[in-house]
Amino acid sequence: MAAPRAMPRREVWSRTREKLRSFPHLMAACAAEASAYGRCVAANTQGSKDLRKDKCANEFQALKNCFTVNAKKAR
Amino acid sequence: MSGIPCRLRCWPARYERCLLFFSSLGHPSGSGSIARSTGWRPWSSRLDSPMNVFDRKMKRRQKNWASSLPESGKYDYLKEEVGSRVVDRVFDIVRTFPLALDIGCGKGYIAENLNKETVQTLFQVDIAENVLKHPVETEIPTYRVLADEEFLPFKENTFDLILSSLSLHWVNDLPRAFKQIHSSLKANGVFIGAMMGGETLYELRCSLQLAELEREGGFAPHVSPFTAVTDLGNLLAQAGFTMLTVDIDEILVNYPGIFEVMEDLQGMGESNCAWSRKPLLHRDTMLAAAAVYKEMYGNDDGSVPATFQILYMIGWKPHESQAQPAQRGSATFSFGDLGNISKRMTKKDK
């Protein structure tokens, strides 16, 4: 028996690493959306606010769309 | 590999049983554990002990992998800096140490800064064999031993100086590790160590927590648990060290983004190996965490900071020559007379 959590095969890791490498560029392209999402999360942790699932879903969706669009462009 | 004792060369499955055998030899409290075959279960030094936080086999694999990277040198900056600061503390002690031990040596970040006048012979211990195979050049004669920090294979009263730089924060049973260090020291020997403190990587921890909370509705720990400063003093005192000194240092490193932070941590061999870690991090959560990190902690120039809180500790093994606390009732001066101290001084001069 291998380690309790089975490790994916090497090819999966190298594909994942390749994709991760482009993340910083995409982050730079979507800085405004990322900032909006970050502000929403930060605002929901202040004072008596409670951060729950999908509180900032709209901002996150905007960020994700921006990412997908830019990733397609880059390819 | 010829110089390494046979029991330390065991394959992983039997490695656990070999270590069990070894621990029951050195420590009476381990007796009885040899009867139970641990096989593949997470292994604890005492079967009922709650102190099994880290997967030591995983840590060994991570360190081996990190040192086999083609450009592993570029991740050494933190360990080199902390290693040199530990050696600074060694130089503060005006003494020559005939025999010293470096626990969790890595590539030899401490050895490269030491000189022959301070340390005459050095033993280096690490859990990962790859790391010991490519040591840094040093003028001191060194012996490299493959052993776990929790199970030091040395006799009592052997070393004049024991050092440890950034490896004790992965140890499961810290009180026991300190006791072993204490016993391996000679009387009037000193232990100087550096380990990560509780505030390390708090930006990463908080960003991941908030992102996971917002995206998935709950969070699991991703950054490993660290020791608090207050606990450290107690642990050292319990192990029998005297004249304790614990101080905190914070090293702030700026990175382009959260992925670079994580990549560098992996490259240093400091990836999380706690049993409670969540192995999977969803892409959405990673994206969310990157955005939160940048927004909440980012610098003006777009970089993000990562804090490494390093706790330095110095502890001595008791000896008659060391200053002892004064006897009660032996005071010759009262705190109440502090206001008149200048008058008393001039009176004495006359």
Side-chain angles (χ1 to χ4, degrees), chain B residues 124-168:
Chain B
Q124 292 178 316
V125 162
D126 205 289
I127 195 178
E129 56 272 9
N130 271 355
V131 149
L132 294 172
K133 282 183 197 162
H134 308 286
V136 168
E137 289 294 317
T138 175
E139 58 177 8
I140 309 170
T142 52
Y143 297 90
R144 289 182 284 282
V145 179
L146 181 68
D148 194 323
E149 290 98 330
E150 298 184 52
F151 303 99
L152 297 177
F154 301 109
K155 261 191 345 193
E156 289 162 10
N157 302 323
T158 320
F159 295 101
D160 304 278
L161 168 68
I162 296 188
L163 301 162
S164 174
S165 170
L166 294 185
S167 82
L168 288 173

Side-chain angles (χ1 to χ4, degrees), chain B residues 168 174-175 177-179 181-182 191-193 195 227 229-247 311-316 318:
Chain B
L168 288 173
L174 202 50
F178 281 145
K179 285 201 178 83
I181 292 173
H182 178 81
F191 164 58
I192 303 180
M195 57 189 283
T227 316
V229 187
T230 43
D231 293 336
L232 198 58
N234 291 336
L235 286 174
L236 288 169
Q238 269 174 22
F241 290 104
T242 56
M243 302 205 296
L244 298 173
T245 311
V246 177
D247 58 287
L311 306 176
Y312 296 96
M313 62 204 110
I314 305 178
W316 294 77

Side-chain angles (χ1 to χ4, degrees), chain B residues 26-276:
Chain B
H27 303 274
S29 62
S31 61
S33 50
I34 198 171
R36 198 161 146 179
S37 154
T38 54
W40 309 101
R41 275 177 47 237
W43 177 61
S44 170
S45 51
R46 293 193 301 273
L47 290 171
D48 56 344
S49 165
M51 294 194 196
N52 188 8
V53 183
F54 301 111
D55 183 354
R56 295 291 290 170
K57 280 202 303 197
M58 188 75 199
K59 179 45 58 184
R60 202 161 150 233
R61 276 206 293 265
Q62 285 167 353
K63 283 194 166 177
N64 278 332
W65 177 84
S67 66
S68 68
L69 288 174
E71 291 176 329
S72 56
K74 69 178 181 181
Y75 302 110
D76 283 344
Y77 49 90
L78 184 67
K79 295 203 167 175
E80 276 174 2
E81 180 60 31
V82 177
S84 73
R85 292 186 191 191
V86 169
V87 171
D88 276 345
R89 284 162 170 80
V90 176
F91 287 152
D92 282 342
I93 304 172
V94 185
R95 221 173 105 174
T96 302
F97 300 97
L99 193 58
L101 172 65
D102 183 357
I103 299 179
C105 59
K107 282 198 200 119
Y109 306 102
I110 289 181
E112 61 182 342
N113 295 306
L114 282 175
N115 55 37
K116 260 199 268 204
E117 289 81 46
T118 320
V119 168
Q120 287 169 350
T121 317
L122 181 66
F123 270 73
Q124 292 178 316
V125 162
D126 205 289
I127 195 178
E129 56 272 9
N130 271 355
V131 149
L132 294 172
K133 282 183 197 162
H134 308 286
V136 168
E137 289 294 317
T138 175
E139 58 177 8
I140 309 170
T142 52
Y143 297 90
R144 289 182 284 282
V145 179
L146 181 68
D148 194 323
E149 290 98 330
E150 298 184 52
F151 303 99
L152 297 177
F154 301 109
K155 261 191 345 193
E156 289 162 10
N157 302 323
T158 320
F159 295 101
D160 304 278
L161 168 68
I162 296 188
L163 301 162
S164 174
S165 170
L166 294 185
S167 82
L168 288 173
H169 55 276
W170 294 116
V171 158
N172 272 316
D173 197 342
L174 202 50
R176 188 167 141 166
F178 281 145
K179 285 201 178 83
Q180 291 200 0
I181 292 173
H182 178 81
S183 76
S184 308
L185 268 179
K186 281 191 191 149
N188 212 21
V190 61
F191 164 58
I192 303 180
M195 57 189 283
M196 300 277 194
E199 289 297 303
T200 305
L201 297 170
Y202 73 88
E203 302 100 339
L204 182 66
R205 191 177 54 228
C206 291
S207 320
L208 283 170
Q209 274 179 5
L210 292 175
E212 262 188 295
L213 197 53
E214 200 277 324
R215 284 286 91 213
E216 297 173 34
F219 61 86
H222 289 276
V223 178
S224 78
F226 298 112
T227 316
V229 187
T230 43
D231 293 336
L232 198 58
N234 291 336
L235 286 174
L236 288 169
Q238 269 174 22
F241 290 104
T242 56
M243 302 205 296
L244 298 173
T245 311
V246 177
D247 58 287
I248 314 175
D249 205 1
E250 275 196 11
I251 301 183
L252 201 77
V253 186
N254 289 321
Y255 293 93
I258 198 177
F259 297 106
E260 285 77 7
V261 177
M262 297 201 278
E263 187 194 325
D264 270 25
L265 289 172
Q266 268 188 334
M268 284 185 223
E270 296 291 309
S271 327
N272 196 357
C273 67
W275 290 110
S276 62

Side-chain angles (χ1 to χ4, degrees), chain B residues 334-340:
Chain B
S334 156
F335 272 118
D337 291 334
L338 268 177
N340 307 328

Side-chain angles (χ1 to χ4, degrees), chain A residues 7-53:
Chain A
M7 303 289 275
R9 293 204 314 268
R10 207 164 286 174
E11 308 88 64
V12 180
W13 278 125
S14 43
R15 273 207 308 269
T16 318
R17 288 218 159 87
E18 274 310 310
K19 278 199 204 149
L20 279 180
R21 247 181 274 273
S22 61
F23 260 56
H25 304 292
L26 298 174
M27 277 296 285
C30 301
E33 286 85 355
S35 183
Y37 176 74
R39 269 198 303 271
C40 170
V41 170
N44 273 301
T45 57
Q46 302 295 345
S48 58
K49 292 231 183 97
D50 211 5
L51 184 66
R52 255 168 300 184
K53 187 165 173 1

